[in-house]
């Protein structure tokens, strides 16, 4: 039994990730499209979700507003959404956010920004996001088509190099070619 615990500890420590040290919050705000995620994401509120988009803004409190929207069951399915806010608890580690969804009923989930793409027009173009256990992983992009053409190969390699290559946390592309646009 001790050998199993030791092996698990070694494997867990070797997969440790960390968030970016600093990032420009203003350059992170706006619309993001989920262009890839880990299979484990489908055990969350995203189960049977298509065309997932996140919109981040600012709140008077200084927190970040969170509005996640998706189509249920298909690219033209009914709309489902969840709202909340994100907070940076330690300004020395801006990339480690806590997310509170559903009016704070979903309390303090880790949202770690692991890596950021280039800044174009004062906006990051893609982001790799996870949490300390590395089960949940999202790749977000400002423009899904541009992502596929310009960034996907590089980001897929980065995701794998960071340790997101197991059965439950591997890179799974999400597509937007049959999505009915949102009216907001």
């Amino acid at each position: 039994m001790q050998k199993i615990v030791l092996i698990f500890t070694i494997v867990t420590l070797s997969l440790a990730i960390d968030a970016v040290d600093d990032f420009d919050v203003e350059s992170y705000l706006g619309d993001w499209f989920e262009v890839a995620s880990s299979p484990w994401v489908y055990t969350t509120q995203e189960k049977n979700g298509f065309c997932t988009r996140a919109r981040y803004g600012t709140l008077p409190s200084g927190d970040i507003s969170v509005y996640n929207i998706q189509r249920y069951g298909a690219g033209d399915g009914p709309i489902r959404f969840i709202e909340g806010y994100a907070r940076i608890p330690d300004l020395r580690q801006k990339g480690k956010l806590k997310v509170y969804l559903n009016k704070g009923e979903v309390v303090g989930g880790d949202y770690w920004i692991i890596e950021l793409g280039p800044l174009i027009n004062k906006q990051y173009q893609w982001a790799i996001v996870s949490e300390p256990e590395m089960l949940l992983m999202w790749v977000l992009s400002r423009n899904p088509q541009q992502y596929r053409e310009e960034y996907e190969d590089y980001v897929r390699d980065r995701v794998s190099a960071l340790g997101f290559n197991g059965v439950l946390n591997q890179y799974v592309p999400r597509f937007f070619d049959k999505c009915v646009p949102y009216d907001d």
Side-chain angles (χ1 to χ4, degrees), residues 91-163:
L91 292 177
R92 294 169 297 171
Q93 297 179 322
K94 284 186 178 179
K96 293 182 178 181
L97 292 85
K98 292 284 188 181
V99 175
Y100 303 83
L101 297 173
N102 210 20
K103 298 180 183 174
E105 292 175 20
V106 179
V107 179
D110 288 311
Y111 182 102
W112 286 15
I113 301 169
I114 305 303
E115 196 162 317
L116 291 163
L119 270 172
I120 298 176
N121 296 324
K122 298 183 180 179
Q123 289 192 318
Y124 295 110
Q125 295 304 295
W126 55 263
I128 301 170
V129 177
S130 187
E131 39 70 46
E133 290 79 28
M134 294 178 59
L135 288 173
L136 300 171
M137 182 275 299
W138 297 267
V139 176
L140 307 176
S141 174
R142 300 292 185 175
N143 180 317
Q145 182 178 348
Q146 180 185 29
Y147 172 81
R148 299 276 180 242
E149 294 168 1
E150 297 181 27
Y151 305 119
E152 184 172 32
D153 292 339
Y154 173 79
V155 175
R156 184 189 301 253
D157 289 346
R158 287 297 304 140
V159 164
S160 181
L162 289 165

Side-chain angles (χ1 to χ4, degrees), residues 8 52 131 158 165 169 181:
F8 179 77
T52 304
E131 39 70 46
R158 287 297 304 140
N165 48 25
N169 74 348

Side-chain angles (χ1 to χ4, degrees), residues 56-77:
Y56 303 126
T58 54
L59 294 170
S61 65
D63 291 331
I64 299 167
S65 65
V66 176
Y67 178 75
N68 294 341
I69 189 169
Q70 66 183 10
R71 298 276 179 183
Y72 182 73
D76 61 352

Side-chain angles (χ1 to χ4, degrees), residues 17 41 62 70 89 96 111 137 164 168 182:
I17 59 166
V41 167
Q70 66 183 10
K96 293 182 178 181
Y111 182 102
M137 182 275 299
F164 296 97
L168 295 177
Y182 299 112

